[in-house]
Amino acid sequence: MTAALLRTADELHARTRAGRRAVVMTMGALHEGHATLVRAAREIAGDRGEVVVTVFVNPLQFGAGEDLDRYPRTLDADLKIAELAGADVVFAPSADEVYPGGEPQVRISAGPMGERLEGSSRPGHFDGMLTVVAKLLHLTRPDVALYGQKDAQQLALIRRMVRDLNFGVEIVGVPTVREEDGLALSSRNRYLSAEERRTALALSGALFAGRDRHAAQEALRARAREVPATRARAEALSAIGESRAAADAHAVAKAVPGGPAGVRAAARLVLDEAARTKPPLILDYLALVDPADFTEVGDDFTGEAVLAVAARVGTTRLIDNIPLTFGAAS
């Protein structure tokens, strides 16, 4: 199947289709992460539907001093990757097509959630992102649009915009794609030297450390619940494999740091070590947040959460996150 390269919305609207249209929005420089999104879109659209990949480097979401000018433009390669992954169309509009008459005077505001984490580090970024997403949803007229979970705050804001402003489109999040060593795929990874890339592994390493601490805590809590409170101290300690100098099973289950505090502490250790390497990792933020509004969760939080990190290695800024679930204490 050969993917059509279209430049205008009129060309796209003139196409006939029998099934659903699924759209994957990108800024180009496609990699396996984007290809995964396209394959997911193909599965959703089915044989009768249509998959559209947009390629547009949006100037509104780049702040002063950011990498708009050096952001990679690789349309020929993008077209091949999209085609192999199952796209029917690559829609690569000009700036004039997306913003006729220049920068729009009316824009989407991301609101309070857009001012946290990424929004605090990159003022105005999410307003520009939502504005172009809204524009591209109108220009492409999809039934469903897919976005990567690596940009968790972006995904949450798009879902909120679609709900709050009554867009008639389904939003689907697709899990983060990683290299074999854990580094999340990103178009910006190409800027990293070999030494910088080794340092950058601390982002995923910190997240995995937090996840592993959480899993260990939950396993310990589950094991402690199985140990009767009346069992002798030595027998209880033996049952959960703890040192005899430790508290009994029920005390261990409530030990600090535990829950969100323990997750943050485990992740922070990895990031602190990376800050002392050469080249160093310069941390922007480490946050454990409620995905509903991206506010920090408390130590007694239960439910879905996102452990997120952003840092700079050399001149390259990277982000990553993983989802976690905190169960109610027994």
Side-chain angles (χ1 to χ4, degrees):
M1 178 178 66
T2 301
L5 176 61
L6 305 181
R7 298 287 190 172
T8 70
D10 286 344
E11 292 175 303
L12 185 59
H13 299 165
R15 292 176 62 87
T16 58
R17 56 188 172 93
R20 304 174 81 196
R21 173 176 286 167
V23 166
V24 174
M25 296 183 186
T26 83
M27 292 206 299
L30 302 192
H31 50 63
E32 180 57 25
H34 298 107
T36 298
L37 286 168
V38 177
R39 287 192 289 268
R42 180 79 274 161
E43 185 173 346
I44 289 171
D47 294 336
R48 290 165 52 82
E50 182 179 62
V51 174
V52 177
V53 176
T54 70
V55 175
F56 180 68
V57 181
N58 178 35
L60 295 190
Q61 64 196 77
F62 288 81
E66 293 189 334
D67 54 358
L68 173 62
D69 291 338
R70 70 167 184 157
Y71 197 87
R73 274 80 165 173
T74 57
L75 184 58
D76 290 343
D78 294 343
L79 184 61
K80 293 178 182 177
I81 291 172
E83 184 176 282
L84 288 172
D88 299 293
V89 174
V90 171
F91 178 54
S94 66
D96 288 340
E97 179 73 10
V98 178
Y99 300 122
E103 287 194 13
Q105 297 301 302
V106 177
R107 307 188 186 195
I108 301 291
S109 170
M113 182 162 57
E115 297 172 359
R116 299 173 185 133
L117 299 188
E118 285 299 290
S120 176
S121 298
R122 306 174 66 189
H125 166 73
F126 284 127
D127 291 355
M129 179 276 295
L130 289 178
T131 298
V132 79
V133 168
K135 296 277 286 185
L136 289 172
L137 288 174
H138 290 315
L139 290 171
T140 60
R141 301 175 183 175
D143 300 288
V144 57
L146 297 89
Y147 302 89
Q149 291 177 358
K150 185 177 82 71
D151 297 297
Q153 193 172 3
Q154 170 180 286
L155 175 59
L157 281 162
I158 291 171
R159 283 178 165 151
R160 189 62 186 252
M161 177 185 73
V162 166
R163 182 171 68 251
D164 287 356
L165 301 184
N166 300 104
F167 280 70
V169 60
E170 178 186 356
I171 303 299
V172 173
V174 177
T176 300
V177 179
R178 300 183 180 278
E179 301 279 6
E180 290 185 5
D181 57 11
L183 187 68
L185 289 180
S186 169
S187 300
R188 290 186 169 93
N189 290 352
R190 68 185 65 198
Y191 301 149
L192 298 169
S193 68
E195 294 78 12
E196 289 171 342
R197 193 184 186 286
R198 283 194 290 271
T199 296
L201 288 174
L203 275 80
S204 57
L207 298 180
F208 298 159
R211 177 197 62 192
D212 293 347
R213 171 69 68 85
H214 177 56
Q217 289 170 181
E218 291 300 305
L220 183 58
R221 288 175 184 275
R223 183 67 188 95
R225 287 193 292 267
E226 297 172 3
V227 179
T230 58
R231 182 174 292 184
R233 175 184 295 268
E235 185 180 354
L237 291 171
S238 177
I240 63 172
E242 289 293 313
S243 164
R244 291 181 182 273
D248 62 22
H250 291 275
V252 169
K254 298 176 182 178
V256 176
V263 168
R264 291 186 182 98
R268 176 72 64 173
L269 283 174
V270 176
L271 297 170
D272 287 347
E273 181 178 353
R276 297 188 291 269
T277 63
K278 293 184 180 181
L281 180 142
I282 309 301
L283 182 65
D284 189 344
Y285 61 76
L286 171 69
L288 185 60
V289 298
D290 184 336
D293 57 10
F294 272 70
T295 56
E296 287 280 350
V297 303
D299 290 342
D300 58 349
F301 178 82
T302 61
E304 301 293 324
V306 173
L307 181 61
V309 63
R312 196 172 296 276
V313 182
T315 60
T316 304
R317 187 176 184 276
L318 300 171
I319 63 172
D320 201 353
N321 72 86
I322 56 171
L324 297 172
T325 301
F326 293 87
S330 297

